[in-house]
Amino acid sequence: MKLSGSDIIVECLLEQGADTVFGYPGGAVLNIYDSLYKYSDKIHHIITSHEQGACHAADGYARSTGRTGVVIATSGPGATNLITGIATAYMDSVPLVAITGNVSRNLLGLDSFQEVDITGITMPITKHNFIVQNVEDLADTIRLAFRIASSGRKGPVLIDIPKDITAAFAEYEKQPAQAPFELPELDNADLDRAAELIKNSVRPYIYTGGGVIASDASEELKRLAELCDAPVSSSLMGQGAYDETDRRYIGMLGMHGTVKAAYALNHCDLFIGIGTRFSDRVTGDTSVFGKNAKIIHIDIDPAEFNKNIDVYTTVSGDVKAVLSALCEKIEQKHNPEWCSEVLDGDFGEPVQQGTEELPVTPQAVISKLDELTNGEAVISTEVGQNQMWAAQYYNYRKPRHFISSGGLGTMGFGLGASLGAKVGNPDKTVVNIAGDGSFAMNLNELITASAHGINIIQLVINNHVLGMVRQWQRLFYEKHFSQTTLDARHIDYVKLGEAFGIKTLVIEKNEDIQPVLSEALEISKSAPVMVEVRIDRDINVLPMIPAGKPVVDPITAISLDD
Amino acid sequence: MKEYVLSVKVANNNGVLLRVASLFSRRFFNIKSLNVAETETPEISRMTIVVAGDRKILEQIKNQLLKLYEVQEVNILDNAVCREHILIRAGRSEDDRHKIIEIANLYRAKPVDIHPDSIMVELTGEPAKIDSFIDLLKPFGIVKMVRSGISALERD
């Protein structure tokens, strides 16, 4: 059957099961939007306030559902507005297909109106990208883009489509979605070596990253932890892969990890890193990271082996397959002394304190949110203190419930991401935990929430400062709070919400926490809602390991007076 | 830092050279030379890349290259025939020209363009041979030269 290029695009999206897309129309994608109009009963398009928000929404949709997210933007500025979103997805290995329009082929390369070389620009931040040169290649290019995005270590793929190609006609035949590319078979010798190390260890320690979630390997991870009789810790990205309420879970490792997790790192004899890339935010000083332990590194991407830290042995493959094979090779271990030393030990984890004037702490609010939602809400975050607090004080029970920009650290990510997460999980409570700084970056997406009835809860933890940068300025820049005090911004959040049609509540006393959160949860059943949480500006994120320092004895208190 | 020779098979598509070059640049890998052309199969090109580094960096380069969708195969060459081609013009007098021809004969280099005072010759050989040829021509004054970079194929 002969179809227009734009109809072929929509048909191919449907082939891939992509029935929800995020985007923003414009000149070069007029034909595509005409097809979306025609297919509006089959494909749900959500227009955001800005292409960046659309890209983060597609990302949040992908992270929370495991499906490939789709974002559509027009040429030129539409395409460049996607860049932060694409780079965010790339750093966190999120499967995403970005479709951009471009000017017609006869105008390419001539500095035409709204022309930009988006394939050139996105080369370093995509797994692969395409510019479609013939309408006959269009369908297969889209199919291949989805396949690349969801194969191996997942990631974003961009397809740039000149406008005349969306208008041209080609033969189209429906095809089933293809399975991801196959990975090489597991190396049995590598598995045996890992199993032998596990067998001989008496103080094993399991550390998990986002790869466990990407590979849907939570069950296998749980089994391995039981068999090894080991404590389990996680990176920021790995949160929820292992039930954080389980006795074996000892919190995050790294810059803002728990004291317990740091202790275990330095006292274990075997460190099993699973689906992780050993980010500098976790390892600190790499020359002493896990220096008393042999390190096994399990990952789908061999390029991560010995990249950031030197390891003892590696197992390459899909985490689920590797863990499943590894569990077959090891027998039940018993390390009661080690487990009791770590799991039952009191390591003096810090507790947050408010002030007399502003007594509320993020810890109290987020812990209460955890309690009221049974730890089952999907939590997205912005970047900075809000992100660390959301990571530390909410206990993620399941994978795909913590949605955060770990690698790129994108302020302004969370609100867009929460919209995508809610669209992908309409029956779940979705909360974006933001600071006032990050929130201001992309608060325009509140419009999207109210316009489309995407019933998220927007929590703004308002301390009137860029708290994380302020924290570093206090510690390392002699309290020169350069450009991080936002007192000149007199924002009335209640009115702001009202302007966008979003009811806004305020928490300013400890007695407010429970009733306000309960009310917000109730409202979110039928409408989006915002909560401003007023806190003191000098509540810091603790524990803390300064960048590049060994992950030993984290800072647990920061004096405000010296 | 040691030098290593990589032979990389890539899809012969628009932009593939840019993808590879961009990878080296953003990961701060050091390219000493890069040579690319079609193979016996027109859809496939072969790049011969000389890199400086240690074994660890080499392993990184290989693994990172293999992540590019259009890269099909990466071989680190240990036992290969390595050749380089040079075009070089040298000399400031007729006397120089005669002496350069003598040296060229010893190296089996071929004169390709002759002027009254200078001469352009071409030579193909192992990089070390090219280096020593250049050294011998230096006293005559090198007017201009171009080296092709190494191309290499594994011995069977």
Side-chain angles (χ1 to χ4, degrees):
Chain A
M1 139 180 77
K2 268 221 180 318
L3 289 185
S4 71
S6 56
D7 282 356
I8 290 174
I9 294 168
V10 178
E11 286 284 353
C12 286
L13 291 177
L14 292 170
E15 277 180 15
Q16 303 297 327
D19 55 5
T20 305
V21 301
F22 303 85
Y24 204 99
V29 288
L30 271 165
N31 293 315
I32 300 177
Y33 275 80
D34 198 48
S35 295
L36 286 168
Y37 182 82
K38 207 161 78 184
Y39 283 81
S40 58
D41 57 330
K42 294 194 180 123
I43 196 157
H44 182 36
H45 177 279
I46 291 153
I47 177 178
T48 52
S49 300
H50 187 283
E51 287 92 349
Q52 185 186 350
C55 200
H56 292 325
D59 178 320
Y61 178 88
R63 291 185 204 229
S64 62
T65 63
R67 298 197 285 272
T68 298
V70 180
V71 61
I72 302 173
T74 193
S75 63
T80 55
N81 279 346
L82 297 178
I83 288 171
T84 301
I86 294 173
T88 303
Y90 184 70
M91 284 291 268
D92 290 342
S93 308
V94 177
L96 188 77
V97 170
I99 296 174
T100 51
N102 208 331
V103 299
S104 292
R105 279 171 296 176
N106 62 337
L107 293 172
L108 280 173
L110 305 177
D111 306 314
S112 306
F113 176 66
Q114 292 196 328
E115 183 194 358
V116 80
D117 172 20
I118 196 65
T119 50
I121 292 173
T122 56
M123 204 168 271
I125 53 167
T126 51
K127 276 187 82 176
H128 193 61
N129 59 24
F130 301 92
I131 177 158
V132 181
Q133 311 263 17
N134 296 297
V135 69
E136 288 78 19
D137 299 335
L138 182 57
D140 282 344
T141 303
I142 296 169
R143 290 167 185 144
L144 182 56
F146 273 88
R147 205 168 182 209
I148 293 172
S150 62
S151 291
R153 180 173 177 177
K154 299 169 174 60
V157 178
L158 180 136
I159 314 166
D160 196 28
I161 309 174
K163 185 172 182 181
D164 59 325
I165 285 183
T166 63
F169 281 78
E171 203 57 45
Y172 167 80
E173 203 174 325
K174 197 176 171 67
Q175 286 186 16
Q178 286 169 301
F181 293 113
E182 280 187 28
L183 291 166
E185 281 197 22
L186 297 183
D187 187 318
N188 215 25
D190 286 348
L191 284 166
D192 284 339
R193 208 171 303 123
E196 188 67 19
L197 286 168
I198 291 171
K199 188 180 147 199
N200 295 332
S201 75
V202 289
R203 304 163 79 85
Y205 179 23
I206 293 175
Y207 165 70
T208 70
V212 179
I213 297 172
S215 162
D216 186 25
S218 288
E219 266 178 53
E220 290 75 7
L221 172 64
K222 172 92 177 148
R223 199 157 145 242
L224 182 76
E226 299 290 337
L227 283 171
C228 293
D229 196 15
V232 180
S233 149
S234 170
S235 74
L236 184 79
M237 297 307 299
Q239 293 213 105
Y242 195 88
D243 179 353
E244 297 184 7
T245 57
D246 186 87
R247 60 179 278 272
R248 292 189 183 284
Y249 189 71
I250 58 171
M252 270 199 307
L253 179 67
M255 186 172 277
H256 296 297
T258 58
V259 183
K260 186 177 272 200
Y263 174 89
L265 166 70
N266 294 306
H267 293 80
C268 67
D269 66 356
L270 181 67
F271 184 93
I272 311 172
I274 308 172
T276 171
R277 61 188 175 84
F278 292 100
S279 151
D280 55 282
R281 299 283 111 163
V282 168
T283 58
D285 181 351
T286 51
S287 67
V288 294
F289 182 83
K291 63 179 188 303
N292 301 319
K294 288 175 175 160
I295 299 177
I296 302 175
H297 190 180
I298 298 170
D299 201 79
I300 198 165
D301 181 2
E304 293 301 341
F305 297 150
N306 299 307
K307 185 184 88 175
N308 291 350
I309 58 160
D310 293 325
V311 299
Y312 191 82
T313 191
T314 63
V315 187
S316 170
D318 179 60
V319 166
K320 193 179 180 80
V322 172
L323 296 191
S324 171
L326 197 53
C327 286
E328 295 304 312
K329 289 182 185 283
I330 53 180
E331 293 187 359
Q332 181 65 53
K333 293 177 62 72
H334 300 280
N335 313 304
E337 276 176 41
W338 166 238
C339 281
S340 127
E341 178 183 332
V342 174
L343 303 180
D344 305 333
D346 179 0
F347 294 87
E349 306 293 345
V351 178
Q352 289 185 340
Q353 300 288 343
T355 59
E356 205 171 316
E357 206 182 323
L358 290 165
V360 174
T361 64
Q363 180 170 24
V365 174
I366 296 169
S367 302
K368 181 57 75 179
L369 182 67
D370 184 342
E371 185 193 314
L372 294 174
T373 55
N374 299 314
E376 286 174 353
V378 176
I379 306 288
S380 67
T381 78
E382 302 290 345
V383 166
Q385 291 185 318
N386 63 83
Q387 177 185 33
M388 293 302 122
W389 292 329
Q392 290 173 325
Y393 302 128
Y394 198 92
N395 292 303
Y396 301 90
R397 270 74 153 180
K398 289 184 205 144
R400 304 199 179 283
H401 282 62
F402 178 71
I403 313 292
S404 191
S405 168
L408 198 67
T410 306
M411 286 173 74
F413 166 79
L415 180 50
S418 73
L419 300 175
K422 182 68 183 178
V423 170
N425 301 272
D427 299 331
K428 287 184 185 159
T429 300
V430 177
V431 185
N432 180 42
I433 297 182
D436 51 315
S438 289
F439 174 68
M441 280 202 169
N442 282 338
L443 62 85
N444 53 2
E445 297 307 341
L446 283 182
I447 300 167
T448 312
S450 63
H452 292 270
I454 305 172
N455 302 332
I456 54 136
I457 299 175
Q458 169 62 56
L459 204 69
V460 182
I461 301 177
N462 185 9
N463 56 6
H464 294 96
V465 291
L466 300 177
M468 186 61 94
V469 180
R470 179 183 172 89
Q471 181 170 338
W472 284 50
Q473 287 170 333
R474 174 180 299 287
L475 287 168
F476 313 120
Y477 292 86
E478 298 164 352
K479 296 195 246 179
H480 299 160
F481 298 125
S482 175
Q483 301 297 319
T484 51
T485 309
L486 308 178
D487 284 337
R489 297 182 179 181
H490 301 286
I491 300 168
D492 183 328
Y493 285 85
V494 176
K495 281 189 186 156
L496 175 79
E498 197 183 323
F500 290 139
I502 291 177
K503 170 133 189 164
T504 301
L505 313 169
V506 179
I507 293 176
E508 103 187 294
K509 301 187 296 291
N510 281 322
E511 304 83 79
D512 299 337
I513 299 176
Q514 164 131 16
V516 168
L517 287 180
S518 299
E519 189 185 347
L521 286 164
E522 193 54 38
I523 294 171
S524 74
K525 287 176 185 161
S526 57
V529 55
M530 179 153 68
V531 180
E532 180 197 3
V533 183
R534 296 181 185 158
I535 66 159
D536 181 71
R537 65 188 53 191
D538 282 315
I539 298 181
N540 290 302
V541 177
L542 295 168
M544 178 176 184
I545 307 270
K549 295 280 187 268
V551 184
V552 182
D553 301 330
I555 300 169
T556 54
I558 296 175
S559 160
L560 300 180
D561 304 323
D562 57 19
Chain B
M1 275 201 290
K2 241 188 107 173
E3 285 185 10
Y4 296 89
V5 182
L6 296 177
S7 183
V8 184
K9 270 165 88 174
V10 299
N12 187 8
N13 293 350
N14 273 351
V16 65
L17 176 61
L18 181 56
R19 287 181 202 281
V20 170
S22 151
L23 171 69
F24 274 80
S25 149
R26 69 177 178 267
R27 296 219 174 252
F28 299 90
F29 300 145
N30 198 349
I31 299 184
K32 302 293 280 191
S33 81
L34 187 153
N35 177 305
V36 54
E38 258 181 33
T39 61
E40 68 285 0
T41 321
E43 303 84 65
I44 294 172
S45 292
R46 187 184 296 278
M47 291 185 182
T48 308
I49 309 174
V50 180
V51 298
D54 53 25
R55 269 275 155 191
K56 184 176 161 174
I57 291 171
L58 193 67
E59 211 40 50
Q60 261 298 302
I61 293 174
K62 180 180 171 179
N63 284 328
Q64 293 291 355
L65 277 171
L66 285 169
K67 282 165 70 171
L68 296 180
Y69 176 71
E70 286 168 339
V71 170
Q72 300 173 351
E73 207 179 295
V74 179
N75 288 302
I76 299 165
L77 302 184
D78 294 324
N79 178 26
V81 178
C82 295
R83 290 292 180 269
E84 194 176 5
H85 180 257
I86 185 175
L87 287 168
I88 183 166
R89 175 182 290 286
R92 282 173 289 236
S93 65
E94 199 183 338
D95 192 35
D96 283 355
R97 207 184 68 201
H98 289 302
K99 285 178 181 155
I100 292 169
I101 291 175
E102 259 177 58
I103 296 167
N105 284 339
L106 286 172
Y107 276 79
R108 295 190 193 163
K110 196 171 132 199
V112 285
D113 187 38
I114 299 174
H115 276 218
D117 296 339
S118 69
I119 182 167
M120 192 204 299
V121 295
E122 69 168 322
L123 174 64
T124 302
E126 290 188 7
K129 182 176 170 184
I130 305 276
D131 289 342
S132 76
F133 184 64
I134 294 170
D135 283 344
L136 285 174
L137 259 50
K138 268 183 191 160
F140 302 102
I142 293 171
V143 183
K144 48 180 121 171
M145 61 175 248
V146 57
R147 295 176 75 147
S148 65
I150 291 171
S151 54
L153 270 185
E154 191 108 59
R155 292 175 201 274
D156 277 329

